[in-house]
Amino acid sequence: MTSVPTPIPSRTQFVLEAVKHRILTGQLAPGQALVEVELAAQYGVSKTPVREALKTLAGTGLVVMNQYKGVTVRMVDADMAREVYDVRLLLEPEALRRTVHSGAALDAAREALERADSATDTAERSLANREFHRALYVPCGNPLLARMLDEVRDQAALVSAVAWAADPSWELEAGEHREILRRALAGDADGASLALHAHIASFVERAFPAPRREDMPI
């Protein structure tokens, strides 16, 4: 039987994935300029696929396009982080609760957790953690809910990359991931949902704590 060759991704898709990977693994820092000519030379393509890739990344919230400043990696501040994580808090625990109720297999989540535990660098660990969370909500039985979470997934990963650069708290979060998965595998839908909610809430509070009342302007 003749195997069908894997389609070669388009130049735009190639540039898109390459730039996204560099952003989400901290190789391109928030605020850093993304110059079309430079990226085209780096990836051996014309400016057109670079321009299209950057437009797509702007649509997902990873870069900002400004007619005066050009294209830059999106800056991450407390307001942006809380907005993204608020969406996750509203949707992701419910998606996991439905996943557990459905009895869906969670092999992909277990495998992602193992990859994260054995990761040798922050980039590899970050990508594995993203896959872990996605593996929990994709089988929820509601494709629209899964797509809504996918839409904030990249921005959440950008927040995580910035937070980890300041405070590499991955060991604590890895323990929380194991507890979430343990409850899910035990069929404890509500317990897994509550553990996930606490995990998401505590991360953003540690990384971007709300200002104390005495620090707020009068």
Side-chain angles (χ1 to χ4, degrees):
M1 182 176 177
T2 304
S3 61
V4 179
T6 303
I8 299 174
S10 69
R11 289 181 175 84
T12 298
Q13 187 67 28
F14 169 72
V15 175
L16 172 66
E17 294 301 329
V19 175
K20 180 194 289 188
H21 184 272
R22 291 173 65 190
I23 292 173
L24 298 182
T25 56
Q27 298 173 54
L28 292 171
Q32 185 168 339
L34 301 175
V35 182
E36 287 183 10
V37 174
E38 295 177 358
L39 291 174
Q42 287 176 22
Y43 297 121
V45 299
S46 68
K47 290 195 298 182
T48 299
V50 172
R51 186 177 304 116
E52 293 305 312
L54 293 178
K55 286 180 181 178
T56 300
L57 290 170
T60 64
L62 285 184
V63 307
V64 176
M65 306 185 84
N66 184 291
Q67 62 176 340
Y68 302 110
K69 297 181 180 180
V71 183
T72 57
V73 179
R74 184 174 182 178
M75 295 294 295
V76 174
D77 59 20
D79 288 341
M80 178 268 195
R82 292 195 192 102
E83 287 175 4
V84 171
Y85 273 68
D86 188 40
V87 173
R88 292 187 66 193
L89 282 170
L90 289 169
L91 300 181
E92 200 166 330
E94 174 61 19
L96 174 57
R97 190 180 68 80
R98 295 184 180 202
T99 292
V100 176
H101 272 310
S102 73
L106 292 172
D107 294 342
R110 185 189 290 109
E111 292 168 3
L113 188 56
E114 291 172 354
R115 288 199 305 275
D117 286 342
S118 61
T120 57
D121 58 44
T122 302
E124 185 180 355
R125 187 176 299 114
S126 176
L127 293 173
N129 282 343
R130 293 180 74 222
E131 291 306 316
F132 171 76
H133 278 275
R134 190 170 192 271
L136 295 179
Y137 68 71
V138 163
C140 70
N142 185 326
L144 178 58
L145 176 56
R147 286 199 300 273
M148 291 172 70
L149 284 164
D150 273 347
E151 287 181 2
V152 298
R153 184 169 175 244
D154 288 344
Q155 294 179 59
L158 179 58
V159 172
S160 297
V162 171
W164 277 9
D167 179 19
S169 57
W170 61 269
E171 288 185 346
L172 172 62
E173 288 139 32
E176 294 172 350
H177 284 173
R178 284 189 285 272
E179 176 61 15
I180 292 165
L181 184 58
R182 184 191 69 79
R183 295 188 185 193
L185 290 173
D188 182 3
D190 291 337
S193 178
L194 288 171
L196 179 57
H197 189 283
H199 166 69
I200 296 170
S202 63
F203 175 82
V204 75
E205 185 55 39
R206 284 195 308 272
F208 300 92
R212 297 174 299 177
R213 184 178 298 274
E214 57 268 29
D215 294 335
M216 298 179 68
I218 299 175

